[in-house]
Amino acid sequence: MIITLTTDIGWEYAAEMKGKILSINPDAKIVDISHEIMPQNVRQGAFILYSIAPYFKKAIHVGVVDPGVGTSRKAIIIECKGNVYFVGPDNGLFIPAAKRLGIKGVYELKIPKNASPVFHGRDVFAPAAAKLSAGKKAKEIGKKIDSYVDLDFGEASIEEGKITGKILFIDRFGNIITNIEGKNIQQENFHVKIGLVEQKVRLYPSYGYAKKEEILATIGSSGFLEIARREGDASKYFSAKQDMKIEIFF
Amino acid sequence: MIITLTTDIGWEYAAEMKGKILSINPDAKIVDISHEIMPQNVRQGAFILYSIAPYFKKAIHVGVVDPGVGTSRKAIIIECKGNVYFVGPDNGLFIPAAKRLGIKGVYELKIPKNASPVFHGRDVFAPAAAKLSAGKKAKEIGKKIDSYVDLDFGEASIEEGKITGKILFIDRFGNIITNIEGKNIQQENFHVKIGLVEQKVRLYPSYGYAKKEEILATIGSSGFLEIARREGDASKYFSAKQDMKIEIFF
Amino acid sequence: MIITLTTDIGWEYAAEMKGKILSINPDAKIVDISHEIMPQNVRQGAFILYSIAPYFKKAIHVGVVDPGVGTSRKAIIIECKGNVYFVGPDNGLFIPAAKRLGIKGVYELKIPKNASPVFHGRDVFAPAAAKLSAGKKAKEIGKKIDSYVDLDFGEASIEEGKITGKILFIDRFGNIITNIEGKNIQQENFHVKIGLVEQKVRLYPSYGYAKKEEILATIGSSGFLEIARREGDASKYFSAKQDMKIEIFF
């Protein structure tokens, strides 16, 4: 069975998780999603998991973006429809992805006494994922619980001639990914305001339609509005950062 | 069968491609070549594919360096000798590698109506590669075509006492990889001129022979002349950038 | 069998090694540890291999941090207890990890005449690892030798009220990993001096216990004392660099 890894711990520490997993289940198929989430940026990790989740079938997604490691935050398994599991910290990291698939149950993992208090990824999540991949059921590994820490991307507010949303995430090209759903954008030309910068943009089917260095709008591959710059970095143009407000004027 | 991925889209987006591939063919063996090609740098991607191609047998190489995504540029499969395929945009990305192996045929992929216009890697190339890996033939997936967008690394010009070439690519150490074939360098000592900087260098079998911080020449692992600096960054020394002219004086 | 790769050569060159391995043994299971070790930083590579080694069973660890490539430095296989092998340069890279597992024998690899003198990773180590993974014995591939280049992390010196150690490695969060073993720290509060900066710190079970931006001490997942900053970069605070001295005052 497939085990994916989405972490902020870097490749080297993630390798210890891989060793643990393969020692328990040598047949596990490990897929690296990312090990370079911005340190402790739970929202960025949540967005990536939300984006990739629909494309995997029968997978166990392990996530380690875990500022609360070693404290009283719980370790959990979330069982979803379609034989998909999430394993990691109870800090909201998995919730947008898990809700997208449909949550069937949540299970709390016991923290072994000899687990390193700085690295539950290796000593708690990896073994649990390996056991799931080897055929164990979630209820055999964890204890069913009823509540968990929630997280959502917020909903854009839609008024006459204006939409107000926020920046979910800036990708490696400097594209600005927002929480404004593409279906709410009906017009081809509008103004975008982020911080102090306001800019007229056109909505294109893809980057390739814009002129070189043009600031443009497009609907990203996850269905959300993105502001981009052809062969450039839109985040620099707007001095945009994660969580900032974005306003659209029609 | 092996499916390799060479992209400029970052690990997170590449993960969506991996999910798509494994959903279609759970037995595919995915090998990450790179997801950090310089954004839209088709020439860099082409050089990397050219370098790795001879070392893989029976592989399907998917490439996503795709500034024209969503426009009228074609999506293609290139079938080569030795059971090797390339799948991706028709922008020259695969041509140096494919010519190195020997091209048997080129096939155009149909773009499904529901494909994201910003992410053919996930919605067009990944499914095609997965089907090839599961045993489908190129002609069953695409339509044979006769022409494709070409790309080459240019040929160095050789005169009496002088070779003029260009910089193909600068690697992560700052080594300058040129399009001058190693077999054309017969002398051990010569002058290199890049931009405004001229420097005497010695040709060594490898970096390890040079003194600390010495600027040196060597024949890289792909057979091309490289200019390097022992325990340093040659590209900074010369202010060298991709596509600049390089002159060698004997 | 599992083949892990720990290199400073970047993903693109590492891909040539993967192709070589899979051409010789298509069933090899390749695990990427890191391809972004600091160029030629043998000590950093050694620390990473030391950290990951206990978590892999029956693995072949290939390491390429190899400033002496192409010179007279030997290429070796180290056979360890538990069916673990290390394959790479004889420059100390594997010694802390191999000693941790228990060395059974060391074998010298012959360098083929047609091996690229700049890339033994591809032309010497990868084929040797692939053959080991396919069932060949170390003694069938190499020639037993008695000596090898040693490397250790040094031992912290313990006096009344003071421990003097050194910085092994700074991780991507800016955490300072030292060679002071955690078992030697008995007190909860102490002073740390690195370079010109002296700072009172408290020892926590994990980062999560500290206040935002607090400089703290913790025992890292490899058992060594780490100096960290909650939601910050401790290495910047101390202007700390690898190999610097660190003093602890109780």
Side-chain angles (χ1 to χ4, degrees), chain A residues 5 11-12 14-23 26 28-32 35, chain B residues 29-32, chain C residues 1-7 11 14 18 21-22 28-35 49 52 56-57 59-62:
Chain A
L5 305 179
W11 284 86
E12 298 84 357
E16 301 180 21
M17 296 175 61
K18 296 178 191 179
K20 264 279 179 79
I21 289 168
L22 293 169
S23 296
K29 192 160 193 162
I30 296 174
V31 175
D32 294 296
H35 301 298
Chain B
K29 193 159 192 162
I30 297 174
V31 175
D32 294 296
Chain C
M1 201 165 169
I2 293 166
I3 297 178
T4 81
L5 304 179
T6 305
T7 82
W11 283 87
K18 297 178 191 179
I21 290 167
L22 293 169
K29 192 159 193 162
I30 296 174
V31 175
D32 294 296
I33 306 296
S34 174
H35 301 299
L49 284 158
I52 62 129
F56 284 87
K57 287 179 183 156
I60 299 156
H61 300 293
V62 181

Side-chain angles (χ1 to χ4, degrees), chain B residues 2 11 29 31-34 36 48 51-52 55-57 171-173 177 205-206 208-209 218-221 230-231, chain C residues 8 10-13 15-16 18-20 22-23 26-28 35-37 39-40 67 69-71 117-119 122:
Chain B
I2 294 166
W11 284 86
K29 193 159 192 162
V31 175
D32 294 296
I33 307 294
S34 172
E36 288 162 4
I48 289 165
S51 299
I52 61 129
Y55 301 104
F56 285 87
K57 286 180 182 155
D171 78 11
R172 69 185 291 256
F173 296 98
I177 290 107
S206 75
Y209 285 89
T218 194
I219 307 305
S221 56
R230 177 90 203 262
E231 292 175 41
Chain C
D8 68 353
W11 283 87
E12 297 84 358
Y13 291 116
E16 301 181 22
K18 297 178 191 179
K20 264 281 178 78
L22 293 169
S23 295
D27 294 326
H35 301 299
E36 289 162 4
I37 308 282
Q40 315 192 327
V69 65
T71 67
V118 291
F119 198 2
R122 181 190 69 197

Side-chain angles (χ1 to χ4, degrees), chain C residues 185-200:
Chain C
I185 311 281
Q186 307 291 353
Q187 273 154 287
E188 202 184 326
N189 292 287
F190 48 87
H191 282 247
V192 171
K193 192 174 175 210
I194 298 170
L196 299 168
V197 184
E198 184 168 340
Q199 170 68 37
K200 198 179 157 180

Side-chain angles (χ1 to χ4, degrees), chain C:
Chain C
M1 201 165 169
I2 293 166
I3 297 178
T4 81
L5 304 179
T6 305
T7 82
D8 68 353
I9 62 179
W11 283 87
E12 297 84 358
Y13 291 116
E16 301 181 22
M17 297 174 62
K18 297 178 191 179
K20 264 281 178 78
I21 290 167
L22 293 169
S23 295
I24 295 170
N25 181 7
D27 294 326
K29 192 159 193 162
I30 296 174
V31 175
D32 294 296
I33 306 296
S34 174
H35 301 299
E36 289 162 4
I37 308 282
M38 276 177 60
Q40 315 192 327
N41 193 330
V42 176
R43 185 173 295 276
Q44 187 192 353
F47 181 78
I48 288 165
L49 284 158
Y50 173 87
S51 299
I52 62 129
Y55 301 104
F56 284 87
K57 287 179 183 156
K58 293 190 188 180
I60 299 156
H61 300 293
V62 181
V64 188
V65 185
D66 195 6
V69 65
T71 67
S72 62
R73 76 97 186 85
K74 288 176 188 155
I76 55 171
I77 297 175
I78 303 178
E79 184 173 1
C80 291
K81 287 177 188 161
N83 260 312
V84 173
Y85 298 85
F86 295 89
V87 182
D90 179 27
N91 62 10
L93 180 63
F94 305 118
I95 302 308
K99 284 187 176 164
R100 193 171 191 182
L101 302 179
I103 296 177
K104 286 176 66 182
V106 182
Y107 301 83
E108 182 178 356
L109 294 167
K110 218 178 154 179
I111 313 294
K113 283 227 174 75
N114 62 354
S116 163
V118 291
F119 198 2
H120 286 186
R122 181 190 69 197
D123 294 342
V124 182
F125 312 148
K131 285 173 200 163
L132 282 173
S133 77
K136 284 249 185 199
K137 291 187 176 144
K139 66 178 179 193
E140 297 175 280
I141 306 173
K143 192 188 76 181
K144 199 160 203 286
I145 55 175
D146 291 324
S147 67
Y148 51 82
V149 174
D150 204 354
L151 182 150
D152 68 41
F153 296 139
E155 209 155 317
S157 110
I158 301 172
E159 298 161 74
E160 179 71 31
K162 184 181 170 189
I163 301 178
T164 307
K166 75 175 172 194
I167 297 174
L168 285 185
F169 170 60
I170 288 166
D171 77 12
R172 68 185 292 256
F173 296 98
N175 297 328
I176 298 164
I177 289 105
T178 76
N179 72 339
I180 299 170
E181 290 184 68
K183 64 180 184 201
N184 293 322
I185 311 281
Q186 307 291 353
Q187 273 154 287
E188 202 184 326
N189 292 287
F190 48 87
H191 282 247
V192 171
K193 192 174 175 210
I194 298 170
L196 299 168
V197 184
E198 184 168 340
Q199 170 68 37
K200 198 179 157 180
V201 299
R202 189 166 157 192
L203 182 73
Y204 290 107
S206 75
Y207 313 128
Y209 285 89
K211 289 192 294 282
K212 200 179 161 180
E213 304 203 341
E214 183 180 347
I215 307 290
L216 66 120
T218 193
I219 308 305
S221 56
S222 292
F224 290 110
L225 176 71
E226 291 183 23
I227 308 301
R229 183 172 202 174
R230 178 91 203 262
E231 292 175 40
D233 183 322
S235 71
K236 277 190 192 154
Y237 181 83
F238 287 98
S239 302
K241 296 207 186 322
Q242 187 174 321
D243 289 328
M244 278 175 77
K245 184 168 81 170
I246 173 169
E247 293 167 297
I248 307 288
F249 301 96
F250 298 104

